[in-house]
Amino acid sequence: MQTKNLNLSIKSYFDMSQLLQKYRGSHKENRELALQEERLQKAPVKLLLKWLDKNLYRVTTELNSKKYLEYLSSFNSALGLFSFVFGFLVGVGLLSYSGESPVNIVYYLLIVVFMPLFSMFVSLLSIIFPGKVGNFFTMLFPLHWIEKLVKAIAFRNKMDEFEIPFSSKFTKIFFIERVQLFSLIFSIGILISLVVMVVATDIAFGWSTTLQISVDAFHKFINYIGIWWAKIFPSAIPSLELIDMSHYFRLGAKVDNSMVENADKLGAWWKFLAMSTLFYSIILRFLFWLFTKELLHKQLEKEFLSLDGVSKILKEFNRPFVSTVAPKPERHLDIKKSTKERITPKKKEEYSTLLGWNYSIDEIKLINDATGVVVENMLEVGGSNSFTQDSGIANSLKGKVILYVKSWEPPTMDFIDFLEMVIDNSAVTKIEIYPLGTVGKYYKSNPKDIAVWERKIDTLKSDKVWIIDNE
Amino acid sequence: MSNTIEYPKFAVVGHPNKGKSSIVSALSHDSSVQIGDTPGTTQVKRSFPLKVDNKIVYELFDTPGFQRARQILAWLNEHKPSSADKRVDVVKAFIAEHRENPRFRDEIELLEPIVEGAGIIYVVDASKPYGPEYEIEMEILRWCGQPSMAILNLIGDEDYREEWKRALGQYFRLVRTFNPMRAKFNDHIELLEAMAHLNEEWTKSIKVAIDVLKKLHRQKIEQTIDVVVDYIIKSLSFVYKQKIKNKDATTEEKERAKERYKAQLIKNEKQLEREIESIWQHLGVKKEKEDLALDNIGLFSKQSASIFGLSQKELIVTGASAGAIGGLGIDLALGGGTMFLASLIGGAVGGVGAMMGFDNLYEMRVMGQKFGKKELSIGPMKNINFPYILLGRSLYYAYMISNRSHAKRDTLELKDDGFLLEDIFDAESRKKLEKLHTKLRAGDNPTDSMVEEYKDIVLKNYLAFVEAD
């Protein structure tokens, strides 16, 4: 499956968190992916996103990210629309001209210059100060309370269905980022209302304050505000004359005559107001929004990398996968127990021949001393004999034969071939196999070893062959 | 055909039932190999490559045992070439001629990798006497002309190594003892080092393999310590919460909460055991219940406290120190010579059991919740001894699993065998651990740095312990 987008997002964070609860991959699989995506080896987040993309199909239930993003999207749309309408209405309210007194630009500047600066300053404090101090600043935002209210009403039950995996720090930065976005939309609403009001109505701007501020001082103040665009757009900086002209006092309860005479000139304020809105409320807010977005991304990346299970996967991406085991599974044999009875050796019974499989004559004589078996005709078989020699011996046997074998050496097919030749010899009536232990064990056999012999002899299905019990 | 191959191969061959599969199982860390008393459990050759990122560094072959060695040698002698350098061609001719003959299926399976260039590892059971019948097999292998070594495997309790060495020395360049049932990691490495000397061309690859295996071993220890520490932190900081109907919890609610709290801790330990088994590729290992039962009873038993926890004296010293200096930490070394892991034989230490009564382990609280609801909370574990019990038990389990040969198919015997926690942690480390335990008991959220510090302490001490072991 091809990844369309290898950028970390809230969706990928949610999906990763959900997938990791179910599946973390094996070292082999994870390492193979890392080797396939060699170009991403120095970008762990992108490699993890690739891993997520490859394995997300394993989550068969509905993705939590889908639910969360649906709610988030509804929430954002509602608050976005609200912010815009509210901004527009605030703008209309500020710019409404009753005909009795001009629109006081001081109010307007308070909303489009000082409020944004204050709000961004508080946001910055909230980011800088961790814990409760930071949270205190967050509580200064009306959005904080609106969000709480909306959450409690609309999302409470639905969001409780799954655990939101974000930390409180992420939630705080996320909130601050949203504040910037909604403030930006609010400001756009104000700007649009300004443009609409300027075009559609005849607004007389003025300035008025209780404070004793001279025209010169106000001019300086206005110039400070407009310093950012003074050179590129000088017509958006009110002249001293205009400032003087638009100064009014409410005591007269009427618009000053000189103001009425220069009504067409008073409207020139709008450029300054538009630029103030554009610069302080929109451009600065936009830049601050980008900054918080970046902070949010960094925090998301940090939390993504610290999700439970991610460090294991990252280690497996980087560690060579070493395999030592057999790639193909083994087909295990079903080992059945023998049911055939064992017999006891006959000390001086008339065995026609004693055979020693892989024993020398000297060894056979020593064994006889221990077992008490007495047989005159003793022969070496197996060992250094050739197969032809053994074949001759097998064909020459008759009557009852006793066969010494090393119990610890399991019967090989070489032995079975010889035994089958003896069985096929009709002159032989009985073959008694005597599994012997080592000298150190006084020729006593281990029961496990005898069981091995029994199982093998069972496969011959011959009534002639018996195992002597030597446990 | 040239015997030059891109990586070394080794065929483990020998008489039936001499432990070839056990050796391969131990060397390849593969517990899936069928190992039994019955000869012929290996019917076809099986490849066990050591692969690093799918690149083979060396390859081992487990092979069936010789079945009709005399008949093969007779055939080879009948087709004896004029010079020794042509002998391998005769072996190849034998394989070609008898490939479809079921009588020689086992021999073909074992000879094939050798004539294709694999080194020979001939396995004998040196706990049983030498017999001349082996010379036939060794003679056949000599015909193959490949570098070879013999391994003396001691399956039984007798020792005939000297007579075997005298015989094998005439056929093999190297003779080494290797007991797959008891082999530890260092034995494995020593054997590989010996194999590296068989052929100059293989030395580099085997050295790479040794390096890889050493790194892998170290990684497995690190992974083990990671899961052990995560488990300890998870269990120590675990808090069970349960909503209750009334203002105060009923006896029934309290009992149920206790059981669930215990059940979760037991589940954590079981999960840890599985993780350790998985790291060391020992899945499905059987355990004796009547031995040191690492189960629900064991975790809270007096016996467990006496074996894995602090001794009574240390508990008192630690408790007093904790009361006096609080978060500043406790120098457990003050206990002086007391054991973290007293011997199992020593039995229960009087009094510790009383201190370890389950009801004294944790804190139970009823807390207010939203909309006037109440919640019963149990944990985190307050008992000062508990982290040491968890640590002792988990490191002991890790030690037993990591040192268990993959050739073993018997039940894991969890008995204390001189494994003392004080041998692992020095006084300074115990002091550092106690500081961290104090924070966890206080309900502090374990920070990344705390976890890393804990892991470092445990890893450093455990590595020093296993290296000295």
Side-chain angles (χ1 to χ4, degrees), chain A residues 31 315 321-324 326 328 330 332-333 385 390 406 409 412-414 417 438 441 452 455, chain B residues 15 18 28 30 32 34 38-40 46 49-51 53 67-68 70-71 103 133-134 157-158 226:
Chain A
R31 176 68 179 167
K315 275 182 190 167
F321 175 69
V322 179
S323 158
T324 53
K328 287 181 192 168
E330 187 180 27
H332 286 198
L333 278 181
N385 279 11
D390 281 353
K406 294 174 179 174
E409 299 290 9
T412 59
M413 291 311 292
D414 197 20
D417 289 344
T438 60
K441 299 279 179 190
V452 169
R455 283 198 296 269
Chain B
H15 214 63
K18 297 300 165 198
S28 63
D30 190 336
S32 73
Q34 189 179 20
T38 305
R46 284 188 84 206
L50 170 73
K51 287 197 266 186
D53 287 336
Q67 292 291 344
R68 291 183 169 96
R70 278 195 308 170
Q71 294 169 48
R103 285 175 63 79
E133 64 272 20
Y134 285 87
D157 50 7
E158 293 176 83
D226 281 357

Side-chain angles (χ1 to χ4, degrees), chain A residues 249-308:
Chain A
F249 300 93
R250 288 196 301 166
L251 275 176
K254 273 188 175 181
V255 176
D256 191 270
N257 283 340
S258 68
M259 287 181 86
V260 175
E261 285 164 16
N262 296 298
D264 56 335
K265 290 175 186 166
L266 292 180
W269 273 101
W270 80 268
K271 290 178 194 166
F272 171 74
L273 297 180
M275 280 309 290
S276 300
T277 313
L278 189 67
F279 183 79
Y280 290 97
S281 288
I282 296 179
I283 295 175
L284 267 191
R285 182 70 77 176
F286 178 72
L287 293 175
F288 197 74
W289 176 59
L290 289 182
F291 165 69
T292 54
K293 227 175 142 52
E294 182 57 24
L295 272 185
L296 186 72
H297 185 78
K298 288 255 184 289
Q299 185 62 27
L300 185 68
E301 192 173 294
K302 198 176 160 192
E303 299 204 1
F304 184 73
L305 290 173
S306 57
L307 274 172
D308 188 24

